[in-house]
Amino acid sequence: MIRQFELVDMVKAYDPDLDEMRLNRAYVFSMKAHGMQKRASGDPYFSHPLEVAGILTEMQLDCDTIVTALLHDTIEDTVATYEQIEELFGQDIAKMVDGVTKLSELEYTSESSKQAENFRKFLLAMSNDIRVLLVKLADRLHNMRTLHYIKKPEKRARISRETLDIYAPLAERIGMQELMNELEDLAFPHVYPEAHESIMKRLDYLYANTENVRDEVIRELEKIFAENFLDAEVIGRRKQPYSIWKKITYRNVSLENQADLFAFRVIVDDIEDCYKALGVVHKTWQAVPGLLKDYISMPKPNGYQSLHTVVIGPQRKRIEVQIRSTEMDIIAEKGVAAHWRYKNDASKKDGVHYRWLQDLLEIMEHAADPEEFLEHTKIAMYQNQVFCFTPKGELINLPAGATVVDFAYAVHTKVGDTCVGGKVNGEPAQLNRVLANGDQIEILRSNAQKPHKNWEQFVATGKAKAAIRRYTRQEQKKEYIALGEEILKHSFEQEEREYNKKAITSAAKKLNLKGGSGTVFEKVGSGEISDRKVLEIVFPSLKNKNETKGTGSIVVDTKRPHKAGDNQLPIKGLTPGLDVHISKCCHPLPGDRIVGIVAEGKGIMVHTIDCEALDVYTETPEDWLDLSWSPPEDSVDIFQGRVDMSLKHMTGAMASVLSLVAQDEANVSNIKINERSADVFRIELDLEVRDAKHLTDVITALRASKYVSSIERAFT
């Protein structure tokens, strides 16, 4: 374990102006706060924040970051408070410690919700101070290095999966390649143990047989650079097992055919020498077409710069060569942490300059729930890039497979929302056109345009998906509100009551719904609350009137009360003494051919003769009853039928449907919107009718409506 004076010396080695007293105070505070706590390894818990601080000193980070590392678990795991840390170490450090903390004051229904919500909070803190992320990554790295002490394999797998899904991509996005590689390789064997074992065995064999090639390539490169008066350092190293596995899995490349089992890195003095070295390599060995990547003129979003090429080298082996300057190499490995080395005025808020981080914050602001945010976050972080340009020459980086719509949303959300088309390299292009490296895109817009739900099927970026879903939800909410108000107006009219919006607002309070009448309309329109329930809250006398009605799928008038099991249903062939239930799977009506199934503990279930649910009873014919309807001539019983209807998306369409239903002396008891598009809605209607003929009459009337595209009786 690092001693107190050793940590001070490690920081002073690169920061002579260190506030030594504050660092010592943080060391002692953390040690006392964690007290007798132990880690899974049996070591004192304090060894963990100390090792995290040590990792950050290797990145040569400032004193505040090292202090934060020492304190990062005190709020979560000890009795220490935010106020104590703020008083002793200042507001900036208190905010950073709070940002790293994984505490959540909310209760969640699932682990995924908890993980997503913690990540939301973490991103907010990170957007204000990128050092929060650096401490968190160092924290995760040390936890992964000691993961083998955790006894439960399922817990190791869960932590490792989280590392692969969240923390390794975050490290990559801020350019910390070295840290990302270590996180991935530590997690790999716990998430994919069989794949890891298989790949490691094969790699050991391949490396044993290609080691001489690596040495030969290094000698040859050093020779040709010396001959061309280039001062260059050449390094050959093995590629990481997890990165190789990803290529095998996602690019369908066999292990033997990979060009980069070894990566050869050439480090020169400056940009000019980078391009000179590339020319020398291509002059010596044949380049593989299409595999030259210039990340110097077009850097990656995380600031990574380098020249990549693949050539046919010694022994006709394909080899990958990366060429970069010394500064580029340090930034490639250390990412944003390298800014403290190269920028004396490095802003602690460098994080706000990362465009991808701004996109994540926008997604977070509008996501419907934590899981949706996490889904879009993963999309936004896993990006094989293509580089495109605006007409003014601004570089926009997008994931592979991105379309014109993705480009529009990358420029600005409003541009995406109003996008009607585009021009790619001057030629008209459809919205779903997949973009390629170097494309120049001009977005065509119209204020009359709105996002379409089907855009979500072809866009590739999390930002675009989140924006489309957000608009769809907003439009759906408007539709539910309009539909709910129409339903309630109709219901008031049916009960011969005066429609009053203030009464709906009052009902909202009694239902504990925020948002007043609008929320009630939305709930009724979406089917979450029945119009009858709202009426009974507004007019309590209606509740007494309705108490004599049956339950389930049958509604019986007060003149003819019915209770399950008293066999007062107008059906012949029932077994005396057994409860009787009208099946909700097929909604049989008087006039339908029906059968009964004797179900243990349930009584008799009444189905139509062609109900699909009867298939499971074909092997038990003794449970079948031959039934038939026998309603009296003066019957006032009401039954529930169901229809599937495609309704045109036009103003007044639903009002027309409700009016036609009422004209045929039927009533709508429930509405469910199954699908929606710009043109039609597919709606499921539950109708209170007298019998099958009554339902057929209603269907016939609705089929003649100009608003109804199609309508059929539903038996499910």
Side-chain angles (χ1 to χ4, degrees):
M1 190 163 65
I2 302 172
R3 304 286 295 277
Q4 185 172 348
F5 73 89
E6 292 174 330
L7 180 63
V8 172
D9 289 344
M10 290 164 68
V11 181
K12 287 180 72 174
Y14 62 84
D15 183 8
D17 298 325
L18 166 71
D19 185 344
E20 189 172 337
M21 184 177 296
R22 182 159 58 157
L23 187 60
N24 285 330
R25 189 162 66 246
Y27 186 103
V28 173
F29 181 92
S30 180
M31 181 172 58
K32 291 174 66 177
H34 288 293
M36 300 301 292
Q37 292 176 345
K38 298 282 187 179
R39 285 175 60 80
S41 62
D43 294 333
Y45 191 92
F46 177 59
S47 65
H48 168 65
L50 197 56
E51 290 297 330
V52 173
I55 291 170
L56 293 170
T57 62
E58 295 172 9
M59 302 178 192
Q60 299 189 3
L61 291 175
D62 63 313
C63 178
D64 281 4
T65 310
I66 306 303
V67 169
T68 300
L70 290 171
L71 302 174
H72 78 271
D73 275 338
T74 53
I75 294 178
E76 179 179 3
D77 293 330
T78 77
V79 295
T81 65
Y82 179 94
E83 289 72 24
Q84 281 181 297
I85 293 175
E86 184 178 28
E87 181 181 351
L88 290 171
F89 302 101
Q91 188 180 56
D92 284 351
I93 287 178
K95 284 184 176 179
M96 282 200 288
V97 172
D98 191 49
V100 179
T101 298
K102 292 181 288 185
L103 254 178
S104 174
E105 297 177 356
L106 303 176
E107 293 293 330
Y108 298 97
T109 56
S110 68
E111 277 298 315
S112 60
S113 292
K114 185 175 180 179
Q115 177 199 51
E117 185 61 28
N118 283 334
F119 191 53
R120 289 173 78 137
K121 293 179 179 180
F122 174 55
L123 273 181
L124 279 173
M126 183 178 79
S127 68
N128 292 321
D129 195 329
I130 199 69
R131 293 175 298 177
V132 169
L133 175 56
L134 298 178
V135 176
K136 187 64 179 176
L137 290 174
D139 169 55
R140 178 52 58 117
L141 178 59
H142 184 251
N143 282 334
M144 291 303 298
R145 285 175 176 174
T146 56
L147 189 65
H148 57 280
Y149 289 111
I150 294 177
K151 295 180 180 179
K152 295 182 178 180
E154 60 272 17
K155 186 175 181 180
R156 294 197 300 269
R158 177 181 60 77
I159 294 171
S160 297
R161 167 54 67 190
E162 186 180 64
T163 299
L164 292 180
D165 283 352
I166 300 296
Y167 294 102
L170 276 172
E172 191 274 336
R173 292 312 297 267
I174 60 170
M176 303 185 73
Q177 189 75 25
E178 192 175 73
L179 192 148
M180 181 199 77
N181 287 337
E182 186 173 356
L183 285 175
E184 288 183 338
D185 285 335
L186 288 169
F188 184 24
H190 300 289
V191 180
Y192 305 105
E194 294 179 359
H196 178 263
E197 183 180 0
S198 175
I199 280 186
M200 291 306 296
K201 286 181 179 178
R202 188 62 182 157
L203 283 178
D204 288 342
Y205 170 79
L206 290 174
Y207 285 138
N209 287 275
T210 55
E211 199 74 29
N212 61 329
V213 176
R214 184 189 67 169
D215 296 339
E216 185 179 349
V217 169
I218 293 174
R219 287 195 302 270
E220 188 67 22
L221 285 172
E222 290 175 339
K223 176 183 175 183
I224 62 175
F225 290 141
E227 291 173 350
N228 287 273
F229 306 104
L230 272 171
D231 184 12
E233 178 185 3
V234 181
I235 302 169
R237 63 178 181 81
R238 295 183 176 190
K239 291 300 291 290
Q240 306 301 119
Y242 184 71
S243 67
I244 292 174
W245 181 81
K246 282 193 294 185
K247 286 187 177 181
I248 293 172
T249 304
Y250 299 113
R251 298 186 189 177
N252 199 27
V253 178
S254 69
L255 197 55
E256 287 76 3
N257 290 333
Q258 289 207 47
D260 52 357
L261 292 179
F262 292 103
F264 296 93
R265 187 174 303 165
V266 176
I267 303 172
V268 294
D269 292 333
D270 52 35
I271 292 178
E272 184 179 354
D273 283 350
C274 288
Y275 288 102
K276 285 182 180 178
L278 178 66
V280 169
V281 172
H282 281 183
K283 182 180 178 181
T284 305
W285 291 317
Q286 179 184 352
V288 178
L291 295 182
L292 172 62
K293 297 177 181 178
D294 186 346
Y295 294 119
I296 293 179
S297 62
M298 291 190 296
K300 289 186 177 183
N302 57 20
Y304 176 88
Q305 289 184 291
S306 186
L307 298 173
H308 291 195
T309 187
V310 177
V311 296
I312 306 300
Q315 302 182 30
R316 302 298 297 171
K317 297 285 187 180
R318 285 159 55 105
I319 59 173
E320 180 185 351
V321 181
Q322 301 170 356
I323 304 169
R324 61 185 69 153
S325 69
T326 301
E327 181 176 339
M328 291 175 194
D329 187 56
I330 293 174
I331 291 175
E333 295 301 315
K334 305 298 182 184
V336 69
H339 288 243
W340 273 267
R341 183 176 303 188
Y342 283 100
K343 297 181 182 178
N344 293 328
D345 61 344
S347 169
K348 69 179 182 179
K349 295 188 177 182
D350 273 350
V352 301
H353 300 303
Y354 283 90
R355 183 170 193 146
W356 62 271
L357 180 54
Q358 295 303 308
D359 287 348
L360 289 187
L361 293 174
E362 185 174 338
I363 290 170
M364 177 171 59
E365 181 181 353
H366 298 292
D369 52 55
E371 285 92 342
E372 181 180 315
F373 163 67
L374 196 60
E375 171 197 345
H376 294 324
T377 297
K378 291 177 182 178
I379 292 172
M381 291 195 299
Y382 290 119
Q383 297 188 4
N384 293 318
Q385 302 294 314
V386 294
F387 298 92
C388 302
F389 297 89
T390 68
K392 293 183 179 180
E394 180 188 356
L395 180 66
I396 302 287
N397 56 280
L398 295 163
T403 63
V404 170
V405 172
D406 289 299
F407 185 92
Y409 276 109
V411 174
H412 196 279
T413 301
K414 289 184 178 178
V415 175
D417 286 345
T418 56
C419 174
V420 294
K423 290 184 178 181
V424 177
N425 303 322
E427 297 293 328
Q430 295 183 349
L431 293 176
N432 62 354
R433 163 78 173 269
V434 176
L435 305 178
N437 267 323
D439 281 346
Q440 184 184 76
I441 295 92
E442 177 185 353
I443 299 299
L444 306 178
R445 301 173 60 193
S446 169
N447 289 332
Q449 174 70 302
K450 303 296 180 187
H452 288 288
K453 186 178 180 180
N454 61 355
W455 288 3
E456 194 181 340
Q457 298 173 8
F458 59 76
V459 295
T461 60
K463 182 177 181 180
K465 286 182 181 290
I468 294 163
R469 286 189 183 179
R470 178 175 70 249
Y471 182 81
T472 301
R473 283 194 300 269
Q474 290 170 347
E475 289 302 296
Q476 183 183 71
K477 182 176 180 179
K478 291 178 185 176
E479 292 161 3
Y480 281 152
I481 290 173
L483 176 59
E485 186 169 15
E486 286 188 21
I487 291 172
L488 284 173
K489 283 181 178 178
H490 179 72
S491 298
F492 272 69
E493 183 183 332
Q494 288 285 93
E495 292 293 339
E496 298 180 351
R497 305 280 182 161
E498 183 180 351
Y499 176 73
N500 186 336
K501 211 166 187 176
K502 288 184 179 179
I504 307 298
T505 303
S506 176
K509 292 179 181 178
K510 293 177 181 178
L511 289 165
N512 294 319
L513 295 176
K514 296 180 180 179
S517 60
T519 306
V520 176
F521 294 146
E522 182 186 356
K523 298 288 186 183
V524 172
S526 65
E528 291 184 51
I529 298 176
S530 69
D531 57 328
R532 189 72 197 180
K533 183 173 183 179
V534 176
L535 283 172
E536 290 174 356
I537 290 174
V538 176
F539 307 110
S541 61
L542 293 178
K543 186 175 182 181
N544 297 329
K545 176 183 175 182
N546 195 48
E547 282 177 352
T548 55
K549 295 187 177 183
T551 59
S553 59
I554 305 173
V555 180
V556 184
D557 191 83
T558 55
K559 297 178 183 178
R560 191 176 165 80
H562 166 72
K563 296 180 181 177
D566 66 6
N567 288 344
Q568 291 188 16
L569 274 170
I571 296 176
K572 288 182 180 180
L574 295 173
T575 302
L578 290 181
D579 288 350
V580 184
H581 304 275
I582 297 295
S583 171
K584 293 182 180 181
C585 57
C586 54
H587 303 285
L589 298 171
D592 290 331
R593 174 75 171 90
I594 56 174
V595 296
I597 298 294
V598 180
E600 186 176 351
K602 296 181 180 179
I604 300 173
M605 305 298 297
V606 180
H607 297 262
T608 60
I609 191 66
D610 54 355
C611 179
E612 293 181 0
L614 296 175
D615 292 346
V616 299
Y617 300 105
T618 54
E619 302 299 324
T620 56
E622 66 275 8
D623 293 335
W624 290 57
L625 297 175
D626 187 13
L627 305 178
S628 62
W629 293 100
S630 61
E633 292 182 4
D634 61 345
S635 173
V636 290
D637 286 356
I638 300 299
F639 298 86
Q640 181 175 282
R642 178 169 292 172
V643 297
D644 276 334
M645 176 174 63
S646 292
L647 186 66
K648 294 178 182 177
H649 192 176
M650 297 169 62
T651 303
M654 183 53 68
S656 174
V657 167
L658 296 175
S659 178
L660 288 170
V661 171
Q663 288 174 24
D664 271 311
E665 299 181 347
N667 187 46
V668 176
S669 60
N670 188 45
I671 298 176
K672 181 181 179 184
I673 301 176
N674 291 324
E675 296 177 15
R676 58 174 43 81
S677 69
D679 302 318
V680 297
F681 291 104
R682 185 163 174 264
I683 297 176
E684 196 175 83
L685 285 182
D686 287 344
L687 300 173
E688 294 175 353
V689 293
R690 295 184 297 275
D691 51 32
K693 182 179 182 303
H694 189 190
L695 180 60
T696 301
D697 291 342
V698 175
I699 291 173
T700 302
L702 291 173
R703 191 172 282 145
S705 170
K706 67 177 182 179
Y707 298 107
V708 177
S709 296
S710 64
I711 183 169
E712 300 292 342
R713 182 177 173 183
F715 291 96
T716 58

